[in-house]
Structures are given as structure tokens and as C-alpha cells.
Amino acid sequence: MSSEIAQSNEYQSFRSSVSQRKFVVDEDESKEWKVYDAGPRSVKCPLICFPPASGTADVFFRQILALTAVGQMLALTAVGYRVISVEYPTYWKIVEFCEGFRRLIDHLQLDKVHLFGASLGGFLAQKFAEYTYRSPRVASLILCNSFYDTTIFNQTNSAPTFWMMPSLVLKKMVMGNFDKGPVDPSICDSIDFLVEKLDGLTQAELASRLTLNCMNCYVEPQKIQQIPITIMDVFDDCALSHSVREELYKCYPEAKRAHLKSGGNFPYLSRCDEVDIFIKIHLQPFDNKKYSAKEYVKTEED
């Protein structure tokens, strides 16, 4: 049975109005990026969203709808942000992911990009910024419920064996982090939606994501501290401990902090209005400049 979010008019509107596109940028044609791209194509520095290990590209559908729409909530001269949400192919090494994503943004003819990464997505966003720091491709980072060192999961020794584990075992590993007691209905709905998305991932897709999530690897923050960063996290229970969050703060002492009183593991679904406001605040300094994620219509004064 579909989750309430999947059955909602909002989600159905998204699926009918934003088409999923697929791109192969590697020599291996089985490595297929799934992409939702909305907003003005003239914007060459969009916001790109990286999902968590359990998520697909459409988990950010509420951000796409809210940030790319032209409406009363936006300034009269604005035509909206360009927001792209991606779903990763099967990569087993961080460097392969970084090379693949670099080829994807080259294929899309993008200059620099703003990255919003959730959990594993936030870790991969940091690693990509680090990977390209000599020739920067990342204009800014938003790290949501994320981390900088995979050893926090205490599975670095078993990570090399994930590729041969059954899907059921891998799903149990992920779902063990989802629910930590009574939560409000919107958080329950977000969990149900992610569980549904988790069921749609193949064994190889899930195994590769968990491998990237747990193999012994860490970010070198000194290489990316010059990039504007917002750290977004929740004050209620989520998969990451308080100490893990504190370590991320220490890595980026100059980063802005966006705290939500609650929201669980997936606040971009359960607390989308707050998350969208924080994204706009983060992107605002770039508005009407070279690396703006939003296009402006010229007025008579320009």
C-alpha cells in the first residue's frame, strides 16, 4: 500500500509536472543517473539535491515544487530557482562517484553548483567539494543531518562485504535508524515514504550506497572551509548522535547553523516549510550575482 505522501495530490502534481530524465555519463552504460530538473534552464549554478542512502531523487519533491514555482511567495521580478534532484548510479568508491557527478554536471553544461545533501548525500557533497577544490565546482553547501567521518557507523570492517548481502539484510540495517520512539504524524508519514522508496532500490543500488556510507573515509575540511556552508539539523531524535553533530560543527566553525526543533531523519519532508526558508536564506547572498541559483527578469530600472 502506498504511503500517504505518495498518494497526496501534492506528490501526484509533482510527478505529472516534472519529468524524470536519465543520463549515462560513464563508459559503463549500466550506470544511470536519474534526474528531476525544474526551473529556468538559463541558470547555470542551480541547487542540486543529494538524497540519503535510503532515498530516491523524488524525496525532495517538496523543495522542487516550493522553490521553482512562480507565485506570490516570490518577488515579482523572480522566475524561481532552478532545482535539480539526482539519484546516484551504482558506485562502489567515493572517487568513482565524484568523477561520475563531475561528468554529469559537465553534461548538463553547469558551471558551479550549490549542493543540498541529506545524511549520506551531505557526506558525498563534502567529498565532491573536496575532490574539486583545486578547480572549484561547488559554490556552496547545505548539509542536512549529515556527518564528515564514516567511522561513526562502526561498520568499516564489514562494508567490503555489503555487495553480497541479501536486500532484506541491507534494508534492515537502514530501517534500524528510522524509528526511535513515538513521533508526530508528519514524521511518521516521512518515514513511511522513505520506506517505500527503500523498497524500490535494487540490491546493488542499496549495497553500493551503504558501502559509500560505511567504508573507511573522512572529509578534509581544510580544503573546503572557504565555501559558504549551512549546517541544518534537528533537535529531536534522528540517526545521528549529538556528538556526531558537534564534530561537524567543529569542522566548519564559520558555517551558518539552521536548527529545527523537530523533524526526525527527513525534515525536508516532515518540516518542508522550515527547510525551504533556510534554503532561501542560504542562497540569498548569491541572488542576482554570477552564481545565483535563481534567474531574474530585468526591470526598466536595470
Side-chain angles (χ1 to χ4, degrees), residues 123 126 147-153 213 216-219 244:
F123 178 70
Q126 293 171 80
F147 54 91
Y148 84 99
D149 187 342
T150 60
T151 57
I152 63 168
F153 297 107
N213 198 92
N216 193 2
C217 188
Y218 60 89
V219 177
V244 169

Side-chain angles (χ1 to χ4, degrees), residues 220-229 250-255:
E220 298 179 65
Q222 70 276 9
K223 291 183 178 179
I224 60 176
Q225 282 179 336
Q226 75 282 3
I227 297 173
I229 297 173
K250 290 176 184 176
C251 284
Y252 307 112
E254 302 301 317

